[in-house]
Amino acid sequence: MDFVNTLVQGVMLGGLYALFAAGLSLMFGVMRMVNLAHGDLAVAAAYLVVVLLGSSFLPLWLVILIALPLFALIGYATQRGLFSRSLKAGPLSTLLVTFGLSIIVQNGLLQAFSADTRTIDFGALNTGAFRLGPISVSYLGLLTLALAVAVIAGVQLFPSRTRTGRMMRAVSDDADTASLVGANSRHLYAIATAIAFGTVALAGIMSGARSSFDPSMGPAQLIFAFEAVVIGGLGSLGGTLAGGAVLGLTQAFAAQIDPSSTLLAGHLVFLAVLAFRPQGLIPQRAV
Amino acid sequence: MTLLEVQGLDVHHGQLHAVRDFSLAVDAGQTVAVIGANGAGKSTLMRAIAGSHSPTRGSITINGADVTRMPAHQRMRAGICLVPEGRRLFKSLTVEENLDTGAYRAAAGPWNVDAVMELFPWMRERANQNSASLSGGQQQAVAIGRALIGNPKILLIDELSLGLAPAVVKQMYALLPDIVASGTAVLVVEQDVSQALAAADTVHCLLEGRDVLSGKPADLSRARIEQAYFGLTSASGQTVGKGH
Ligand SMILES: Nc1ncnc2c1ncn2[C@@H]1O[C@H](COP(=O)(O)OP(=O)(O)O)[C@@H](O)[C@H]1O
Ligand SMILES: [Mg+2]
């Protein structure tokens, strides 16, 4: 039963990684850009929720309902004002710009909140679990997994089922030609980034309820998200879910054998995929 | 009023002066052709009218409204739509999705995905196929359909016949009267002179970026067009188009 228990914990952890990775995967699929500030944005969203909860009488669900659209809006503005300029100058400049943004966000958070660790109070959800026979399933982990599946399904269906999504693919294929049928590539890219920021904010909030966080955690979050994306296959969202699960399972089983090898095992699986199956488990379909 | 009016247009690629002091007018219901050899500046001219490339001087107006500095993505709304050289279908989209992109910022009008599929019945069977699996002629049809669905006031077509078999070229040109009858003017650019002459009300001959000869096809002799097209020395001893 230990095995099944570990399996369940691993899949739920994988759900969190996949939730982190969805936005990273979307931005790579549409714009071929990697946002190095991705993890820091998640941490920033967690702090925003802590602040809003502490300074107002708003209930948690309302705070989250404010934080997610706000992050989407920030994503839209960041794309139009910052990323779109750097994309014109090439991939290296985009990497540098997002790296700079990562440092700014980290240090801004450190300045504002000190290096103390925090958690988001989800009330009973924080610690609650139900027993399924001998297995303990945490409500939070299950909720995170459900959200990850829903977010990834949504982000997957949007480009194929909506006209805006189809235009996003058209712009991604050939922005010059798409402009001839009226597509403003900067607007459509900004919508992709808005979705990415909104989903990573959700990931940051779920993660902040699961375990404590501090301003310096962003890069580690980014690495897990990045590993989930690469293991699953760049630009493929179904793959991202699988990649998150593989990473989560690896870490959960490694922790059973030797707790100190948890992170190392995840990184080794990532390196093994890069070496032997660089296209990922589920290679890209057009986003 | 003139539908599309281009006046004194200069377009550069860096130092290269690709279109020089070019003027042209298209009225509603007209088909106008611009012919010229490879490298004459035809695509550059079309891209400037469609907004993909900023001119350095001159003006472009649609029904009297100046669109010279309007970004490309807004010109669809202004009534201009370009079928680019080489079709340029969206490769990760299906045939139907490619057509549907034309509807994104479409004006009201007779064309929609259904009307285009009516015109090209084979598209229905291939609606869900990837556009890359089509033949050149089929791709050209999808590219024209995509542009028509926007219901432009004027349809620009860059090299309608490029890379197509003669029989397919004939079919493509046979479409133009239908398009004009639906209320859309057509400005077509060609290297293939004979088709363009047969279809157009007015023709302009472009040589090294200059308009060296223009008029109604019936008024222009074959010899003069050939001279203008190739930049050959004319009977009077002057070099057509080379004078500065
Ligand atoms: N993107 C570009 N950059 C630099 N020069 C270009 C570019 N596109 C076209 N040119 C040059 O501009 C001139 C006109 O080209 P183009 O408009 O494509 O001619 P056409 O369509 O009549 O064959 C040519 O000399 C070509 O080499
Ligand atoms: Mg050309």
Side-chain angles (χ1 to χ4, degrees), chain B residues 43 85 158-159:
Chain B
S43 295
E85 186 172 0
D158 194 350
E159 306 251 8

Side-chain angles (χ1 to χ4, degrees), chain B residues 71-166:
Chain B
H73 66 88
Q74 289 173 5
R75 294 203 191 190
M76 183 88 165
R77 270 285 155 84
I80 303 175
C81 194
L82 168 66
V83 179
E85 186 172 0
R87 292 45 115 169
R88 307 274 291 266
L89 298 183
F90 302 115
K91 61 184 185 307
S92 66
L93 272 59
T94 65
V95 169
E96 186 170 10
E97 286 173 335
N98 261 286
L99 290 175
D100 188 66
T101 59
Y104 178 59
R105 289 289 181 255
W111 295 102
N112 53 37
V113 174
D114 263 345
V116 168
M117 286 188 166
E118 206 70 31
L119 192 62
F120 304 100
W122 60 264
M123 282 185 194
R124 260 187 228 289
E125 288 133 52
R126 304 200 165 214
N128 295 317
Q129 273 184 25
N130 194 285
S131 51
S133 67
L134 302 178
S135 71
Q138 288 171 332
Q139 290 191 17
Q140 186 67 286
V142 174
I144 291 173
R146 177 177 69 186
L148 275 180
I149 287 169
N151 290 302
K153 297 189 181 89
I154 180 163
L155 182 69
L156 315 182
I157 308 176
D158 194 350
E159 306 251 8
L160 181 60
S161 63
L162 186 75
L164 302 183

Side-chain angles (χ1 to χ4, degrees), chain B residues 11-14 16-19 35-47 53 85 158-159 189-191 206 208-209:
Chain B
V11 192
H12 286 81
H13 290 290
L16 184 83
H17 202 161
V19 173
I35 57 175
N38 195 14
K42 305 181 299 294
S43 295
T44 305
L45 171 68
M46 295 294 253
R47 287 171 56 78
H53 195 113
E85 186 172 0
D158 194 350
E159 306 251 8
V189 144
E190 272 295 0
Q191 286 186 54
L206 204 59
E208 293 175 356

Side-chain angles (χ1 to χ4, degrees), chain A residues 259-276:
Chain A
S260 66
S261 69
T262 308
L263 298 185
L264 180 64
H267 297 326
L268 287 178
V269 167
F270 164 70
L271 288 177
V273 168
L274 269 190
F276 299 112

Side-chain angles (χ1 to χ4, degrees), chain A residues 159-160 163-164 166-167 169-185 187-188 286-287, chain B residues 47 50 52 72-74 76 80-82 84 87-88 90-94 97 100-105 146-147:
Chain A
S160 56
R163 184 171 281 157
T164 305
R166 280 195 290 273
M167 293 314 294
R169 285 157 62 208
V171 161
S172 172
D173 276 355
D174 183 347
D176 196 31
T177 302
S179 73
L180 298 176
V181 290
N184 179 358
S185 59
H187 170 67
L188 289 158
V287 169
Chain B
R47 287 171 56 78
S52 299
H73 66 88
Q74 289 173 5
M76 183 88 165
I80 303 175
C81 194
L82 168 66
R87 292 45 115 169
R88 307 274 291 266
F90 302 115
K91 61 184 185 307
S92 66
L93 272 59
T94 65
E97 286 173 335
D100 188 66
T101 59
Y104 178 59
R105 289 289 181 255
R146 177 177 69 186

